[in-house]
Amino acid sequence: MSGIETPRGPVDSSRIPRYAGPATYARLPRLDEVGRADVAVVGVPFDSGVSYRPGARFGGNAIREASRLLRPYNPAQDASPFALAQVADAGDIAANPFNIDEAVETVEAAADELLGTGARLMTLGGDHTIALPLLRSVAKKHGPVALLHFDAHLDTWDTYFGAEYTHGTPFRRAVEEGILDTEALSHVGTRGPLYGKQDLTDDEKMGFGIVTSADIYRRGADEVADQLRQRIGDRPLYISIDIDCLDPAHAPGTGTPEAGGMTSRELLEILRGLASCNLVSADVVEVAPAYDHAEITAVAASHTAYELTTIMSRQIAQAKQSKQEKAAK
Ligand SMILES: N=C(N)NCCCC(=O)O
Ligand SMILES: [Zn+2]
Ligand SMILES: [Zn+2]
């Protein structure tokens, strides 16, 4: 398939105005137009796991709309992500809004299918519940993975109203299921009131390290990224980004906002500092456009996914190159 050798890129915005036509992520081709993808951008319009404001079911499409302005060359990583690898928009996973257990199964099965084609996933949420089935699927392929979790919240609580699958509980479930590499788990951007001190004790017992939003402010993005990179090493890495890791000034459009968060510049810089990590898949979740203003949150999320996609594309291109070099010897 030609798409593997010369990836089909986004619609050329110098010929077709970027606001024309239906939105795919970054104006990329749909997966069915290219056959297969190295990186599949997939939406999960599901928000039945939230504990406060609903609306993240509309997040994926809001991110797609806001991503029309992304350009093909990423100077921060000196790379053209959509030329290095085939990135395509795989559409949405149709999860049942009235049955969380079934929705979790549906997301896992759809992720299995996409990962089974050899693609890495760039998932656009949806609420944070969906990280659990995505991690299950990634762990089936790679074994227990390192996790970088950007969030105001720990999301390692036990249950809400007796429910085990919610947006506040995915990472406790993941630890219980043994799908995370407990030597390399970090929350980044944590802040705000908790239910009790025990939340932190429990979280630490699960193996998580914490870089709070205040740590980022004090130590700076570069130092934080260095520290995280050292902890991760060359383990297969999954990055889960709850957009509420950003300050509400940078991401008002979300369901459980907390004051005192990092800036979008800090988030993007930390991600760029992780460019050498073995990023196997990622998600950006909790964008709730009904509370957004002027697409502030959706734009931040679209750029966040762009940095993550760039990291994955560069690694795919590097792997292909070293394979070709080996074959030529
Ligand atoms: N994952 C997100 N966004 N929020 C979790 C908040 C859980 C709570 O209401 O305490
Ligand atoms: Zn959160
Ligand atoms: Zn979260």
Side-chain angles (χ1 to χ4, degrees), residues 123 131 134-135 138 145-148 236-240 279-283:
T123 307
L134 293 168
L135 283 166
V138 165
V145 289
L147 173 70
L148 270 187
L237 170 68
Y238 187 92
I239 298 185
S240 183
L279 181 60
V280 294
S281 283
D283 65 56

Side-chain angles (χ1 to χ4, degrees), residues 128 149 151 155 167 242 286:
H128 224 152
H149 167 223
D151 204 319
D155 290 359
H167 79 153
D242 184 327
E286 297 283 348

